[in-house]
Amino acid sequence: MEAAIDRIMMTYDLLLNRSAAASAEARIKVTKYVTKLFEAGETDMHRLTVCGLTYLRELDGSNDPVKAGYTGL
């Protein structure tokens, strides 16, 4: 599980330029989320990684086209 979290954070840090404090806060949040998934029975590292990245992108709004700046035009 720790390998999935490390991979999530490495990939997420490549996507966004954030401060160390923001990165630490994101790591705490994604660790809780991935732990919950793991305890629910998900053990595939690749799936945990994708779910964790999706979770972080939802938190920061980059999955939302309106928050990302898309106006529909």
Side-chain angles (χ1 to χ4, degrees), residues 39-68:
E39 289 173 352
E42 183 58 66
T43 58
D44 184 293
M45 186 182 99
H46 299 293
R47 187 161 173 86
L48 289 171
T49 302
V50 170
C51 290
L53 283 168
T54 303
Y55 173 74
L56 288 177
R57 293 192 68 207
E58 286 176 1
L59 286 180
D60 72 18
S62 59
N63 272 359
D64 185 356
V66 175
K67 287 182 181 177

